[in-house]
PDB file of all heavy atoms in Angstrom:
ATOM      1  N   GLU A1211       0.835  -1.201   0.000  1.00  0.00           N
ATOM      2  CA  GLU A1211       0.000   0.000   0.000  1.00  0.00           C
ATOM      3  C   GLU A1211       0.868   1.249   0.000  1.00  0.00           C
ATOM      4  O   GLU A1211       0.610   2.211  -0.741  1.00  0.00           O
ATOM      5  CB  GLU A1211      -0.879  -0.025   1.261  1.00  0.00           C
ATOM      6  CG  GLU A1211      -1.953   1.012   1.290  1.00  0.00           C
ATOM      7  CD  GLU A1211      -2.764   0.914   2.580  1.00  0.00           C
ATOM      8  OE1 GLU A1211      -3.285  -0.159   2.903  1.00  0.00           O
ATOM      9  OE2 GLU A1211      -2.877   1.961   3.251  1.00  0.00           O
ATOM     10  N   ILE A1212       1.946   1.255   0.785  1.00  0.00           N
ATOM     11  CA  ILE A1212       2.878   2.400   0.855  1.00  0.00           C
ATOM     12  C   ILE A1212       3.584   2.556  -0.492  1.00  0.00           C
ATOM     13  O   ILE A1212       3.736   3.678  -1.001  1.00  0.00           O
ATOM     14  CB  ILE A1212       3.888   2.207   2.015  1.00  0.00           C
ATOM     15  CG1 ILE A1212       3.167   2.299   3.350  1.00  0.00           C
ATOM     16  CG2 ILE A1212       4.998   3.229   1.934  1.00  0.00           C
ATOM     17  CD1 ILE A1212       4.022   1.960   4.561  1.00  0.00           C
ATOM     18  N   ILE A1213       3.976   1.430  -1.088  1.00  0.00           N
ATOM     19  CA  ILE A1213       4.662   1.465  -2.394  1.00  0.00           C
ATOM     20  C   ILE A1213       3.713   2.034  -3.446  1.00  0.00           C
ATOM     21  O   ILE A1213       4.112   2.882  -4.254  1.00  0.00           O
ATOM     22  CB  ILE A1213       5.176   0.062  -2.789  1.00  0.00           C
ATOM     23  CG1 ILE A1213       6.328  -0.325  -1.868  1.00  0.00           C
ATOM     24  CG2 ILE A1213       5.596   0.014  -4.233  1.00  0.00           C
ATOM     25  CD1 ILE A1213       6.810  -1.755  -2.048  1.00  0.00           C
ATOM     26  N   GLN A1214       2.452   1.583  -3.455  1.00  0.00           N
ATOM     27  CA  GLN A1214       1.464   2.074  -4.433  1.00  0.00           C
ATOM     28  C   GLN A1214       1.206   3.568  -4.235  1.00  0.00           C
ATOM     29  O   GLN A1214       1.100   4.325  -5.207  1.00  0.00           O
ATOM     30  CB  GLN A1214       0.152   1.283  -4.317  1.00  0.00           C
ATOM     31  CG  GLN A1214       0.242  -0.152  -4.792  1.00  0.00           C
ATOM     32  CD  GLN A1214       0.724  -0.266  -6.224  1.00  0.00           C
ATOM     33  OE1 GLN A1214       0.384   0.540  -7.084  1.00  0.00           O
ATOM     34  NE2 GLN A1214       1.552  -1.250  -6.484  1.00  0.00           N
ATOM     35  N   ALA A1215       1.122   3.999  -2.976  1.00  0.00           N
ATOM     36  CA  ALA A1215       0.905   5.421  -2.680  1.00  0.00           C
ATOM     37  C   ALA A1215       2.112   6.249  -3.148  1.00  0.00           C
ATOM     38  O   ALA A1215       1.955   7.332  -3.728  1.00  0.00           O
ATOM     39  CB  ALA A1215       0.662   5.622  -1.193  1.00  0.00           C
ATOM     40  N   ALA A1216       3.305   5.714  -2.903  1.00  0.00           N
ATOM     41  CA  ALA A1216       4.528   6.391  -3.319  1.00  0.00           C
ATOM     42  C   ALA A1216       4.597   6.472  -4.843  1.00  0.00           C
ATOM     43  O   ALA A1216       4.983   7.503  -5.420  1.00  0.00           O
ATOM     44  CB  ALA A1216       5.756   5.687  -2.753  1.00  0.00           C
ATOM     45  N   LYS A1217       4.200   5.365  -5.536  1.00  0.00           N
ATOM     46  CA  LYS A1217       4.198   5.369  -7.008  1.00  0.00           C
ATOM     47  C   LYS A1217       3.205   6.393  -7.532  1.00  0.00           C
ATOM     48  O   LYS A1217       3.487   7.139  -8.466  1.00  0.00           O
ATOM     49  CB  LYS A1217       3.834   3.974  -7.540  1.00  0.00           C
ATOM     50  CG  LYS A1217       4.967   2.999  -7.563  1.00  0.00           C
ATOM     51  CD  LYS A1217       4.515   1.690  -8.203  1.00  0.00           C
ATOM     52  CE  LYS A1217       5.642   0.674  -8.237  1.00  0.00           C
ATOM     53  NZ  LYS A1217       5.206  -0.591  -8.843  1.00  0.00           N
ATOM     54  N   ALA A1218       2.024   6.454  -6.915  1.00  0.00           N
ATOM     55  CA  ALA A1218       0.994   7.408  -7.359  1.00  0.00           C
ATOM     56  C   ALA A1218       1.479   8.846  -7.153  1.00  0.00           C
ATOM     57  O   ALA A1218       1.311   9.712  -8.015  1.00  0.00           O
ATOM     58  CB  ALA A1218      -0.303   7.158  -6.612  1.00  0.00           C
ATOM     59  N   GLU A1219       2.095   9.056  -5.986  1.00  0.00           N
ATOM     60  CA  GLU A1219       2.627  10.388  -5.684  1.00  0.00           C
ATOM     61  C   GLU A1219       3.749  10.739  -6.645  1.00  0.00           C
ATOM     62  O   GLU A1219       3.840  11.870  -7.137  1.00  0.00           O
ATOM     63  CB  GLU A1219       3.129  10.418  -4.233  1.00  0.00           C
ATOM     64  CG  GLU A1219       3.500  11.805  -3.752  1.00  0.00           C
ATOM     65  CD  GLU A1219       3.961  11.814  -2.297  1.00  0.00           C
ATOM     66  OE1 GLU A1219       3.398  11.070  -1.468  1.00  0.00           O
ATOM     67  OE2 GLU A1219       4.902  12.584  -2.026  1.00  0.00           O
ATOM     68  N   ALA A1220       4.611   9.782  -6.954  1.00  0.00           N
ATOM     69  CA  ALA A1220       5.722  10.000  -7.880  1.00  0.00           C
ATOM     70  C   ALA A1220       5.192  10.298  -9.282  1.00  0.00           C
ATOM     71  O   ALA A1220       5.706  11.185  -9.982  1.00  0.00           O
ATOM     72  CB  ALA A1220       6.643   8.791  -7.900  1.00  0.00           C
ATOM     73  N   GLU A1221       4.153   9.550  -9.704  1.00  0.00           N
ATOM     74  CA  GLU A1221       3.572   9.795 -11.034  1.00  0.00           C
ATOM     75  C   GLU A1221       2.925  11.178 -11.092  1.00  0.00           C
ATOM     76  O   GLU A1221       3.046  11.888 -12.096  1.00  0.00           O
ATOM     77  CB  GLU A1221       2.547   8.705 -11.372  1.00  0.00           C
ATOM     78  CG  GLU A1221       3.180   7.376 -11.745  1.00  0.00           C
ATOM     79  CD  GLU A1221       2.138   6.302 -12.052  1.00  0.00           C
ATOM     80  OE1 GLU A1221       0.964   6.647 -12.306  1.00  0.00           O
ATOM     81  OE2 GLU A1221       2.524   5.123 -12.046  1.00  0.00           O
ATOM     82  N   GLU A1222       2.253  11.533 -10.004  1.00  0.00           N
ATOM     83  CA  GLU A1222       1.639  12.867  -9.953  1.00  0.00           C
ATOM     84  C   GLU A1222       2.711  13.945 -10.019  1.00  0.00           C
ATOM     85  O   GLU A1222       2.584  14.926 -10.745  1.00  0.00           O
ATOM     86  CB  GLU A1222       0.815  13.002  -8.666  1.00  0.00           C
ATOM     87  CG  GLU A1222       0.068  14.312  -8.571  1.00  0.00           C
ATOM     88  CD  GLU A1222      -0.716  14.441  -7.271  1.00  0.00           C
ATOM     89  OE1 GLU A1222      -1.191  13.428  -6.727  1.00  0.00           O
ATOM     90  OE2 GLU A1222      -0.858  15.596  -6.801  1.00  0.00           O
ATOM     91  N   GLU A1223       3.775  13.787  -9.249  1.00  0.00           N
ATOM     92  CA  GLU A1223       4.897  14.734  -9.230  1.00  0.00           C
ATOM     93  C   GLU A1223       5.565  14.772 -10.597  1.00  0.00           C
ATOM     94  O   GLU A1223       5.909  15.859 -11.099  1.00  0.00           O
ATOM     95  CB  GLU A1223       5.897  14.330  -8.142  1.00  0.00           C
ATOM     96  CG  GLU A1223       6.913  15.400  -7.796  1.00  0.00           C
ATOM     97  CD  GLU A1223       6.299  16.680  -7.221  1.00  0.00           C
ATOM     98  OE1 GLU A1223       5.259  16.633  -6.539  1.00  0.00           O
ATOM     99  OE2 GLU A1223       6.855  17.755  -7.509  1.00  0.00           O
ATOM    100  N   ALA A1224       5.741  13.607 -11.223  1.00  0.00           N
ATOM    101  CA  ALA A1224       6.347  13.546 -12.557  1.00  0.00           C
ATOM    102  C   ALA A1224       5.464  14.276 -13.557  1.00  0.00           C
ATOM    103  O   ALA A1224       5.955  14.974 -14.454  1.00  0.00           O
ATOM    104  CB  ALA A1224       6.554  12.101 -12.984  1.00  0.00           C
ATOM    105  N   GLY A1225       4.153  14.144 -13.423  1.00  0.00           N
ATOM    106  CA  GLY A1225       3.211  14.846 -14.305  1.00  0.00           C
ATOM    107  C   GLY A1225       3.331  16.347 -14.153  1.00  0.00           C
ATOM    108  O   GLY A1225       3.342  17.095 -15.139  1.00  0.00           O
ATOM    109  N   LYS A1226       3.445  16.815 -12.886  1.00  0.00           N
ATOM    110  CA  LYS A1226       3.607  18.244 -12.630  1.00  0.00           C
ATOM    111  C   LYS A1226       4.917  18.756 -13.224  1.00  0.00           C
ATOM    112  O   LYS A1226       4.950  19.813 -13.848  1.00  0.00           O
ATOM    113  CB  LYS A1226       3.576  18.520 -11.119  1.00  0.00           C
ATOM    114  CG  LYS A1226       2.211  18.384 -10.485  1.00  0.00           C
ATOM    115  CD  LYS A1226       2.293  18.672  -8.987  1.00  0.00           C
ATOM    116  CE  LYS A1226       0.952  18.476  -8.281  1.00  0.00           C
ATOM    117  NZ  LYS A1226       1.057  18.690  -6.839  1.00  0.00           N
ATOM    118  N   ILE A1227       5.979  17.992 -13.012  1.00  0.00           N
ATOM    119  CA  ILE A1227       7.303  18.374 -13.554  1.00  0.00           C
ATOM    120  C   ILE A1227       7.246  18.403 -15.078  1.00  0.00           C
ATOM    121  O   ILE A1227       7.761  19.320 -15.721  1.00  0.00           O
ATOM    122  CB  ILE A1227       8.401  17.420 -13.038  1.00  0.00           C
ATOM    123  CG1 ILE A1227       8.612  17.640 -11.534  1.00  0.00           C
ATOM    124  CG2 ILE A1227       9.700  17.610 -13.798  1.00  0.00           C
ATOM    125  CD1 ILE A1227       9.522  16.614 -10.867  1.00  0.00           C
ATOM    126  N   SER A1228       6.596  17.399 -15.655  1.00  0.00           N
ATOM    127  CA  SER A1228       6.471  17.329 -17.107  1.00  0.00           C
ATOM    128  C   SER A1228       5.680  18.528 -17.631  1.00  0.00           C
ATOM    129  O   SER A1228       6.042  19.126 -18.647  1.00  0.00           O
ATOM    130  CB  SER A1228       5.790  16.025 -17.501  1.00  0.00           C
ATOM    131  OG  SER A1228       5.619  15.970 -18.895  1.00  0.00           O
ATOM    132  N   GLN A1229       4.614  18.889 -16.934  1.00  0.00           N
ATOM    133  CA  GLN A1229       3.796  20.035 -17.346  1.00  0.00           C
ATOM    134  C   GLN A1229       4.610  21.324 -17.256  1.00  0.00           C
ATOM    135  O   GLN A1229       4.587  22.140 -18.168  1.00  0.00           O
ATOM    136  CB  GLN A1229       2.549  20.131 -16.476  1.00  0.00           C
ATOM    137  CG  GLN A1229       1.632  21.280 -16.880  1.00  0.00           C
ATOM    138  CD  GLN A1229       0.403  21.394 -15.987  1.00  0.00           C
ATOM    139  OE1 GLN A1229       0.179  20.572 -15.104  1.00  0.00           O
ATOM    140  NE2 GLN A1229      -0.389  22.423 -16.213  1.00  0.00           N
ATOM    141  N   LYS A1230       5.354  21.510 -16.147  1.00  0.00           N
ATOM    142  CA  LYS A1230       6.187  22.695 -15.979  1.00  0.00           C
ATOM    143  C   LYS A1230       7.262  22.743 -17.062  1.00  0.00           C
ATOM    144  O   LYS A1230       7.554  23.809 -17.605  1.00  0.00           O
ATOM    145  CB  LYS A1230       6.836  22.711 -14.584  1.00  0.00           C
ATOM    146  CG  LYS A1230       5.894  23.110 -13.487  1.00  0.00           C
ATOM    147  CD  LYS A1230       6.619  23.183 -12.151  1.00  0.00           C
ATOM    148  CE  LYS A1230       5.667  23.562 -11.028  1.00  0.00           C
ATOM    149  NZ  LYS A1230       6.350  23.621  -9.737  1.00  0.00           N
ATOM    150  N   SER A1231       7.846  21.584 -17.367  1.00  0.00           N
ATOM    151  CA  SER A1231       8.861  21.529 -18.426  1.00  0.00           C
ATOM    152  C   SER A1231       8.257  21.927 -19.764  1.00  0.00           C
ATOM    153  O   SER A1231       8.858  22.671 -20.543  1.00  0.00           O
ATOM    154  CB  SER A1231       9.445  20.130 -18.545  1.00  0.00           C
ATOM    155  OG  SER A1231      10.219  19.816 -17.433  1.00  0.00           O
ATOM    156  N   GLY A1232       7.058  21.426 -20.032  1.00  0.00           N
ATOM    157  CA  GLY A1232       6.365  21.774 -21.283  1.00  0.00           C
ATOM    158  C   GLY A1232       6.099  23.259 -21.376  1.00  0.00           C
ATOM    159  O   GLY A1232       6.292  23.885 -22.429  1.00  0.00           O
ATOM    160  N   GLU A1233       5.655  23.842 -20.256  1.00  0.00           N
ATOM    161  CA  GLU A1233       5.408  25.286 -20.231  1.00  0.00           C
ATOM    162  C   GLU A1233       6.705  26.063 -20.422  1.00  0.00           C
ATOM    163  O   GLU A1233       6.743  27.050 -21.151  1.00  0.00           O
ATOM    164  CB  GLU A1233       4.738  25.669 -18.910  1.00  0.00           C
ATOM    165  CG  GLU A1233       3.315  25.175 -18.777  1.00  0.00           C
ATOM    166  CD  GLU A1233       2.738  25.369 -17.375  1.00  0.00           C
ATOM    167  OE1 GLU A1233       3.444  25.903 -16.488  1.00  0.00           O
ATOM    168  OE2 GLU A1233       1.565  24.980 -17.169  1.00  0.00           O
ATOM    169  N   ALA A1234       7.778  25.606 -19.754  1.00  0.00           N
ATOM    170  CA  ALA A1234       9.075  26.270 -19.886  1.00  0.00           C
ATOM    171  C   ALA A1234       9.580  26.187 -21.325  1.00  0.00           C
ATOM    172  O   ALA A1234      10.110  27.165 -21.875  1.00  0.00           O
ATOM    173  CB  ALA A1234      10.098  25.660 -18.924  1.00  0.00           C
ATOM    174  N   VAL A1235       9.413  25.020 -21.942  1.00  0.00           N
ATOM    175  CA  VAL A1235       9.830  24.852 -23.337  1.00  0.00           C
ATOM    176  C   VAL A1235       9.017  25.774 -24.238  1.00  0.00           C
ATOM    177  O   VAL A1235       9.553  26.416 -25.147  1.00  0.00           O
ATOM    178  CB  VAL A1235       9.699  23.375 -23.782  1.00  0.00           C
ATOM    179  CG1 VAL A1235       9.808  23.231 -25.283  1.00  0.00           C
ATOM    180  CG2 VAL A1235      10.747  22.518 -23.083  1.00  0.00           C
ATOM    181  N   ALA A1236       7.710  25.880 -23.996  1.00  0.00           N
ATOM    182  CA  ALA A1236       6.855  26.759 -24.796  1.00  0.00           C
ATOM    183  C   ALA A1236       7.274  28.222 -24.637  1.00  0.00           C
ATOM    184  O   ALA A1236       7.367  28.965 -25.622  1.00  0.00           O
ATOM    185  CB  ALA A1236       5.392  26.577 -24.407  1.00  0.00           C
ATOM    186  N   ILE A1237       7.531  28.630 -23.382  1.00  0.00           N
ATOM    187  CA  ILE A1237       7.971  30.006 -23.125  1.00  0.00           C
ATOM    188  C   ILE A1237       9.303  30.267 -23.807  1.00  0.00           C
ATOM    189  O   ILE A1237       9.497  31.299 -24.452  1.00  0.00           O
ATOM    190  CB  ILE A1237       8.048  30.287 -21.602  1.00  0.00           C
ATOM    191  CG1 ILE A1237       6.635  30.319 -21.016  1.00  0.00           C
ATOM    192  CG2 ILE A1237       8.784  31.579 -21.316  1.00  0.00           C
ATOM    193  CD1 ILE A1237       6.601  30.353 -19.494  1.00  0.00           C
ATOM    194  N   TYR A1238      10.235  29.327 -23.679  1.00  0.00           N
ATOM    195  CA  TYR A1238      11.539  29.465 -24.323  1.00  0.00           C
ATOM    196  C   TYR A1238      11.372  29.543 -25.841  1.00  0.00           C
ATOM    197  O   TYR A1238      12.021  30.361 -26.503  1.00  0.00           O
ATOM    198  CB  TYR A1238      12.452  28.295 -23.932  1.00  0.00           C
ATOM    199  CG  TYR A1238      13.844  28.420 -24.499  1.00  0.00           C
ATOM    200  CD1 TYR A1238      14.743  29.347 -23.980  1.00  0.00           C
ATOM    201  CD2 TYR A1238      14.247  27.632 -25.565  1.00  0.00           C
ATOM    202  CE1 TYR A1238      16.016  29.469 -24.511  1.00  0.00           C
ATOM    203  CE2 TYR A1238      15.509  27.745 -26.104  1.00  0.00           C
ATOM    204  CZ  TYR A1238      16.394  28.664 -25.576  1.00  0.00           C
ATOM    205  OH  TYR A1238      17.647  28.790 -26.110  1.00  0.00           O
ATOM    206  N   GLY A1239      10.491  28.724 -26.394  1.00  0.00           N
ATOM    207  CA  GLY A1239      10.233  28.747 -27.834  1.00  0.00           C
ATOM    208  C   GLY A1239       9.700  30.096 -28.284  1.00  0.00           C
ATOM    209  O   GLY A1239      10.098  30.620 -29.327  1.00  0.00           O
ATOM    210  N   GLU A1240       8.804  30.698 -27.484  1.00  0.00           N
ATOM    211  CA  GLU A1240       8.266  32.021 -27.803  1.00  0.00           C
ATOM    212  C   GLU A1240       9.369  33.075 -27.753  1.00  0.00           C
ATOM    213  O   GLU A1240       9.417  33.973 -28.595  1.00  0.00           O
ATOM    214  CB  GLU A1240       7.134  32.393 -26.837  1.00  0.00           C
ATOM    215  CG  GLU A1240       5.844  31.649 -27.088  1.00  0.00           C
ATOM    216  CD  GLU A1240       5.263  31.945 -28.456  1.00  0.00           C
ATOM    217  OE1 GLU A1240       5.243  33.128 -28.881  1.00  0.00           O
ATOM    218  OE2 GLU A1240       4.837  30.984 -29.132  1.00  0.00           O
TER     219      GLU A1240
END
């Protein structure tokens, strides 16, 4: 259960990081 919670939290965090990276790339592209 702790491992699954940690994986879910990690995936959520990875999604946030990925979104921020995408926004940063878009801003840099502009």
